[in-house]
Amino acid sequence: MAERAQYEELARQFSAFGAVKREMGRILPSECPSGSAAVLTLLGRHGDMRMSRLAELLSVDLSVTSRHVAHVAERGWIERSPDPADKRSRILRLTPSGRDQLDELYRRTTHLLAQRLSDWTDDEVGRLIELMTRLRASFDDCTRTPANTQEK
């Protein structure tokens, strides 16, 4: 297990990572803010889903998810159709226009990362992907001890 000082430094690095996220946000098209981009990305990655599942994946309240979904639906990037299993629910799905928008988001993000990491080796980029995937999985694991408990 890492030492306390390493976790403190890691916390500082996460705070500083906000600058990376802000720069990535600045490259998004003005009509597609980060919440909308997240909706498109998740539908692209996971396929059609209910709003409740999308809210779970976004880790935000259903009302926030609903606003993001309304924004992308107004632009024709997704469609909402009745769920055959439960007519009260809606299934969200990317439209061809939504797929085009998602492709543009990927193009812009890939270009930015390629620029900023141009002095990294393929192995270093691969290692970063591996570690970030593992980090995300550690936070996704529901069996972990809640954050509000403290070691004794």
Side-chain angles (χ1 to χ4, degrees):
M1 184 172 209
E3 294 181 21
R4 180 182 175 137
Q6 289 177 296
Y7 290 121
E8 289 171 354
E9 178 57 26
L10 186 57
R12 283 190 290 276
Q13 291 300 321
F14 281 137
S15 293
F17 197 75
V20 174
K21 288 189 71 165
R22 281 189 298 278
E23 185 168 355
M24 291 182 79
R26 282 192 289 272
I27 65 163
L28 296 175
S30 60
E31 71 276 8
C32 189
S34 61
S36 298
V39 168
L40 296 176
T41 299
L42 289 170
L43 286 170
R45 181 181 306 140
H46 297 281
D48 304 352
M49 68 182 76
R50 287 184 176 181
M51 181 100 67
S52 57
R53 176 66 177 142
L54 181 60
E56 180 182 311
L57 290 170
L58 288 169
S59 299
V60 297
D61 187 76
L62 201 53
S63 64
V64 174
T65 303
S66 182
R67 284 193 299 273
H68 293 320
V69 166
H71 184 267
V72 296
E74 288 167 5
R75 280 145 186 82
W77 297 335
I78 66 165
E79 62 183 18
R80 298 175 274 197
S81 54
D83 183 347
D86 180 356
K87 299 293 184 200
R88 297 168 298 171
S89 295
R90 297 277 183 243
I91 298 292
L92 309 174
R93 110 180 2 97
L94 283 175
T95 63
S97 177
R99 176 64 59 193
D100 291 344
Q101 184 64 35
L102 183 58
D103 289 345
E104 176 63 13
L105 296 175
Y106 286 151
R107 186 193 66 71
R108 289 176 182 225
T109 303
T110 300
H111 180 73
L112 176 65
L113 291 171
Q115 281 182 322
R116 296 298 185 263
L117 304 181
S118 64
D119 60 337
W120 289 41
T121 67
D122 289 349
D123 287 342
E124 288 170 329
V125 173
R127 185 75 176 139
L128 179 62
I129 293 167
E130 178 185 326
L131 291 171
M132 289 182 77
T133 301
R134 185 174 174 193
L135 175 66
R136 193 178 73 233
S138 294
F139 278 83
D140 288 344
D141 186 352
C142 297
T143 63
R144 298 249 182 228
T145 305
N148 61 357
T149 61
Q150 297 179 353
E151 290 184 27
K152 297 190 180 193

